[in-house]
Every structure is written in structure tokens, then in C-alpha cells.
Amino acid sequence: MCVLSSRRRLFSVKLRPATFAEAGIAAPFTTPSVAQARLRLDRRGRMEIVARNPTGNGGVYILPLQAAPELFRLSIHDRVLVERLLALPAISPLSILSAARTVALEGLAGPDARAAAGRAVAEAEEHALLTLLLLLERLLAEAGQPRIDWRAIDTSDRAARERLKPYFERLEPSTGLVGPALVDAAESLSRVVAPIGLPQAPFESLAATTLAELRVLDTSIGSWAAVEHHEHATLAGLVHDCATLTIACAETSLAKAANILQSTGRLLDAHRTAPDAVAMVLTRPIWLLHGWRHLIALWNSVADRPRAAQRDAMVELGELVPLVPLEAEEGQGQTREQSRSQYEIHRHVRLREDWRTGVSIERQVFLETLKAAAP
Amino acid sequence: MSAISSAGGTLVDLLDTVDDQKLRRIIELIEASGQRPVLEPALAALRPRLRTLRPRRPPSLPRLLTAPLERALVDAGSPHAFAAVRRCRLQRWQALALDGLDPALAARVGEALATPGADERDRLLAAGRHLWPAAAMALVLAERPGEPAEERLERLRVADCLGLGSELLPLLDRLLPVPAVLDAEDQATLEAILTLGRDGAPDRLATVTSLLLRAASQPWSLAASLLELAPGTLETALRRVLEALLAAHRQELEDLLERLAAASGRPVADEALAIERLAAALALPEGAGTGALGADELSPLRASAAAVATTRFSAGLDSLLRRSSSRGGDTRKDAQRSREAEARALARLGRAARRLAPDGGIERLTEQAIERLVDAAAVRGKGRRQPASVEDARLIEILAGPDIAWQYLHPESGPVGPGPFARRALPARRR
């Protein structure tokens, strides 16, 4: 490792993003120079990428996603991911997660990431089916219909959804929806609700898991910072502040989501008349928590390493930490100041990093390992 | 002792087979149990791995007494004996220092070390500020009749290292690992270290300079910088010291190259590490004044190293391709994981070889290997031209970069990206 003579200014952007759309969504690229770069839509609705300045100096590069392979020397995984992302009808944390898992399933991020993606996809499918069953059960209860015969349902069976048809038919009079429309609505809702989880769900949802891990990270960084000095302490403070604020906002948004999940009939009704508004409330916790899983995996990867390695990881966490958009704090009481540090610190060029192209053999492997840890 | 050696030997054999993470954990357990000094001779073989892994070591009085001279320690038979401290005598110096210490001071420092809270390195430095001067004095006074001159010199050197510890260690922490290009801040640190080495014990300059040079991946380059920074009054003495130290470095590199050339069947990762080390050390130093330090005479060594590196790279590629076609008893995932790890080590080896000899044929060998890899896939596909499999594309990516890999994965796409390979056409029959 050597110290580059030029210095990097961290956090050159001084203001927090106003909206989630402006903040964008972290994309799990494996090319070191664009790792966790953010994606968002430009004014014409085209996808653009916001990447860190590859020279290591302050500022970001904003360019159409389509042009990313021209500027960055992307890994083959990332080239395929860019193609898939460009084909998405809409971007959201869940659609990006799903696209990334599909690419990882092809083995483009290595065998471990493929296995992890396989497990994650199967788990997400099962969670969606369980959520569909729970929503259906609640609809039946609200309509005074007999409950589902659980003995006939095997959630690992691909034909399980077929067996639910008779139950949906019974609900047609009470919901006002007919046949496939009712099934589609329930399926669509179950895919949005599964990641945040229903209160009685027999699984830990993506949001709950991430939130629990984020709380652990928050505590860990808080105690790490207590014995740290100078710039790394400031950085840790920034990450700690962001984590604390994210936790508070995520808890509030989860409570709001739980509120509209209380009556499944009313939820279905609202979903039919104002699908975007319902989706916004239900997906906000995921928007807030998205990006943290990579940071959690990164911090966990240095848990047993010497302090110097933890400091390097902290610099990276400081660069990647997802700032909470101002709109997320609506209803939180007051908008908190989240200042950015303005000091300069050394950029450490890692051993074997090809500085001109940003390609680093070890670095890409490390990112793929994190991808396997947080699929 | 034989039982310990036997147990140690078994332990090392066992540890040699475990992965890095497990090895770090086991060594941390050994450290925590206080058995490290007993097992030290047996663990010597693992030292190169441990240097990279840096397992956590709980702060203790012996460790505190070792910290200032850690970089001066050399193994028996090392060519770096000049201005060094022999590892086999470390325990003796520690015992002498501890015997001469005020027990109350030792107890107080021991307690401070054991108190959790501040950063471990800060705790060590804070405790050292109290203990090192007293320990240095204890060692100076520990003269015994009939002590051989060489041992006496080493004892005083250890005392000097301890005496300098609280000033020297923060400077070394700031500078090491020595960067390839020194900026103004690095140069100021080097000057401060040289100033420390100027006064005091007779061989302090040699001791301090040896600490720096042993930690440098490019010793000739650092030596040239030191000469440039040294004040005129120090230049002659420093040049003499540097020549002795660089002769030892050269000897060490020659030994390393000889071992590398003689051994076969070593894991590619180990070979890559050794060749990277050679490539870094033998890189042409920048700046004037290096000729007199023997840098000009490194060319034959560099050429020999390049030849060995190219041969090893070629053999490594052959081995990788053989593994590609025969998956053995491994599961697909394990097989791919191990092929990728081997390819990564080869890529590093190839990069080091290119550094030693830019036109040494590494690119040609890589291209040939990729062709063979794709041809083998075509044979498996009954001669039909088809895009490379994802597994093969990953290997190509590791060996030749993503641009080339992408062209094999998507033959219809043509060159893409800003990398150096992108502008070069693929072999005609592949387009």
C-alpha cells in the first residue's frame, strides 16, 4: 500500500438530497471505481449513474448509464448488469436488487455470489408466497369466509398458487374484483409487502433484518469512534449520525406501513384506486435501508482485523454512506442537520491496484465477497 | 524441548493447510494463551503469511519490550545480520530488561496495558513512554564479565532501540510502509528519522537506517532518497551503512531467486508473492546517486528474475488449463472457486513479470492460453463456435481484463471500453 501524493476531499457535495429520486439507489457493481454508485432518472426519464470521481479528487461523475462502459472499465458482471438495468421499466431498490440477483445467478460475480443469489431469490419467492397467503387469510377473515386449509398448501410447491384459486373466487363479491384482477392485485401487493413483512409473518423480512443489522452497526461504530481520534473519529461520527437517522426514519416509515396494513380489504381498495401512493408508503422503508447491507457487510468484514484495516474501511463507509433525503424526515418533527466533513485525508492506493484504470484484482474479489455476504 | 519441537512441527504442518482467516484466529488464541514465545521457533515457517495477516496480539510487557525492536529482528542465517537483533536472543534481552526494572513500575505499566479503552497502539505507545527508558537503562547496566563483544554490541543496540522507541515508533508508524514516491510530508518524516539516527550510540545510524531499509519494498530507491536528504556531514557515514545494508538486500534477493528457480510444485500464490517482492525490489530506482549504491549492477539479477517469472507464469497457465478440463472430485462451485483463485495468483505473477521485463512475452502467453481455453470449450461443444461460458469468461477477465473477456462472452459486441486491450483486435479467427 502506498500513499498517493494527491489528496482526496471527501464529501464535496454539501447538501443532503431533497428527495429519494435525487438521492438515487445504490447499485451493486463489482468494478471498484463504480462500487455502490447511485442510479437515478434524469429529467428525460433516462437512467443516469452518479459515480465517485475516479481520480480520487472531490466531486462526482454524472453520466447516462448507457455511457458508463465507455468511461469506466467495467467488469463483465457490470456490463451485463448495465444492460439489464437499462431494460427495467422502472427503477426502485427492489427492481435493482432483483436485476442484480439475476445477473449474480448467472455466475458473473463468482461462484459464492451465485450461490448466495440463489438462496436469496428462493427466500424472496417463498416470502412473497407466504405474504400472499397471509393477505388472503386476512381478506377471508374480514369477509367472514372460512379460513384456508393450510394442510393443503406447501409453500415450496410451485403449484401452491393454483390451489388458492377457490379462495380468491369466494372473495369476489366482497372485494368487487373479479377473477385474475383480484389475483393480480393480491400478488402485486404481496411482492411489495413481503420485503417489509406483515406483523404475523413467520419470517424475518428484508427490512426487519436490515434494520436489526443496522442497529448493531450503529452501536458498533459508536463504540469504535469513542476510542478514535481526529479525522477517523469525525468520519465515524458521520456514519453513526446517518445510521441513527436512518433507523429513526425507517422505524417511522415501518409504523406508517403497518398502519395501512391493518385492514387488508381497505389496502386492496386503496391499491386499486391509488396504487402509487400505496406503493410509496409500503416501499419507503426499503428505500431508506437500501445500500446499508453493503456497508454492514463491509464493516463486518473488518471486525477481526487490525485497527488500521478498520480505519480504511471507515473511510470507505464515509464515502458510501447513504444520506437520508430531507423528504424522509417529514413527520419526524424537525429536520436534523447532517453536516459533511470538510477535511482532507490521504488516499491509500491498495497494493496491486491498477491506479490508471481503477482495476484491482483483490478489490474486485473483495466486492464479490461482500456481494455474497449481502446478496 | 524435543516434545515441543515435535508438537510444534505437527502444529505448523496443520496450520499450513488452513485458510488465512482460520490461521489468524488460531494465532490469536496462541497469543492470548501466552504460549507464543514457546512456539515461536516452530511458527517461524509461517512468518511470511503472518506478516500479511497481522493477527491481533494482546498488549503485554514482553510485547511492549519487543515493539521498538520488532523491525530489527532477524532469523538465524539471514543475510540481514548487520545492525540487527537476532530473534533467538529476544527472550534473553526481554528477561534482562524485566529483571532490571523497578517491580512497581512494571506492575503499573502492566495494569495500564491491560486496561481496555483507548486504541491499542496508543496504549502501547503511552505505556512505552514510561517503560522503555527504564528498560533501556536496565539493559545498559546488565553487563556481565566475559560477555562476547558481538553480544555486548547487540545488547547495547537493543537498549538503544528501546531508548529511541517513543520518538522513533510514531515516526515509523507515519512513514511505513514506505511509499514508492515520497511526498514532502514523507521526506520531512525521513529527515526527522535521520536526525534521530545521527546522535547517540555508535551504531545508531546503522540501526535506524536498517529499520527503514528492511521495511522498504524498494530499498535502492529509498537509499537514494536517504542520501539526498542526509546533511553533508552525515553523507559518508550513511553511504557506508547503506552499502552494507544493500549488499545484504542483494544477497537476500539472490537467495530468494535461487530458491524460486530450484523449487517446483509450490502453490502459484506463493510464487506470485515471491516474484512480486523481487519485482518491487528490483524496480529501477528513480533519481541520481544510485549508481554508487550498486543499483546499476542489478540488471543481470532483474533479467534472471524475469526469466524465472515467465517460466513460472507459463507453467502456471498450463496447470490452470489442465484443471479446466478435469474437474476431479470437486463440486462445480469449489472447482470454479479454486480455479479463480489460481488465475488471480497467476495474474499477479504476470503483472510482476511484466514489471521485471515489459516485453517478456507475458501478453503473448496469456493470449495463447485464452485461445486454448476457448478451443477446449469448442471441442466440448463438438466444434461449434459459441460464446465463452461464464466460467471461462471469468477466468479470461482475471487473466486479461474485462474488455477481452467481454469480447469472448459476447463475440458480436466488438471492442468496448477505455482499457488498453480494447483497441487491439482479437486474433482474426476469433472475430
Side-chain angles (χ1 to χ4, degrees), chain A residues 7-301:
Chain A
R7 309 201 183 268
R8 168 154 49 179
R9 182 180 287 279
L10 292 177
F11 313 120
S12 59
V13 185
K14 290 187 178 144
L15 297 172
R16 281 168 56 191
T19 62
F20 283 100
E22 186 193 338
I25 305 155
F29 292 120
T30 58
T31 307
S33 53
V34 289
Q36 297 293 301
R38 301 191 81 82
L39 300 175
R40 62 187 190 190
L41 297 180
D42 68 8
R43 275 180 298 172
R44 285 187 284 178
R46 294 178 313 180
M47 213 181 293
E48 66 182 15
I49 179 169
V50 184
R52 284 176 284 167
N53 186 339
T55 67
N57 283 316
V60 289
Y61 272 37
I62 302 176
L63 63 152
L65 181 61
Q66 206 158 11
E70 307 285 332
L71 184 67
F72 299 103
R73 198 170 177 223
L74 297 183
S75 65
I76 52 173
H77 166 274
D78 291 354
R79 290 170 203 225
V80 175
L81 182 58
V82 165
E83 286 181 352
R84 303 283 163 81
L85 292 171
L86 287 169
L88 286 177
I91 61 164
S92 69
L94 290 175
S95 65
I96 287 177
L97 192 63
S98 167
R101 282 175 179 168
T102 313
V103 178
L105 267 177
E106 292 170 29
L108 286 157
D112 292 326
R114 168 164 39 198
R119 288 193 299 272
V121 166
E123 193 180 86
E125 274 299 312
E126 189 170 5
H127 289 184
L129 178 58
L130 283 168
T131 306
L132 177 68
L133 289 167
L134 286 169
L135 287 174
L136 180 58
E137 173 100 332
R138 288 168 59 167
L139 281 170
L140 290 167
E142 284 169 23
Q145 294 285 345
R147 301 181 63 177
I148 299 172
D149 179 6
W150 289 98
R151 288 166 302 178
I153 308 292
D154 177 2
T155 54
S156 61
D157 182 0
R158 286 178 180 275
R161 281 183 164 81
E162 283 298 308
R163 299 209 177 98
L164 299 177
K165 268 189 181 171
Y167 297 104
F168 278 113
E169 282 163 10
R170 281 186 222 156
L171 286 168
E172 285 176 7
S174 59
T175 57
L177 287 166
V178 186
L182 176 58
V183 178
D184 286 351
E187 290 245 10
S188 148
L189 261 180
S190 69
R191 294 201 178 274
V192 179
V193 174
I196 56 169
L198 284 164
Q200 64 274 52
F203 59 85
E204 189 94 332
S205 70
L206 176 66
T209 312
T210 313
L211 192 55
E213 288 173 352
L214 182 55
R215 287 195 191 103
V216 174
L217 175 83
D218 193 30
T219 311
S220 164
I221 287 181
S223 29
W224 188 86
V227 291
E228 195 54 48
H229 309 294
H230 312 307
E231 63 261 45
H232 291 98
T234 315
L235 262 180
L238 172 81
V239 179
H240 180 57
D241 284 353
C242 286
T244 308
L245 183 56
T246 305
I247 291 167
C249 291
E251 282 169 348
T252 308
S253 61
L254 277 169
K256 277 186 184 170
N259 197 32
I260 70 162
L261 286 172
Q262 276 179 356
S263 162
T264 313
R266 281 210 300 276
L267 173 68
L268 203 61
D269 208 33
H271 179 65
R272 192 173 45 187
T273 52
D276 290 347
V278 171
M280 196 182 82
V281 176
L282 293 180
T283 58
R284 178 153 286 189
I286 300 297
W287 278 86
L288 277 162
L289 295 167
H290 186 76
W292 279 102
R293 297 189 71 211
H294 176 87
L295 273 63
I296 291 161
L298 173 63
W299 188 242
N300 289 344
S301 74

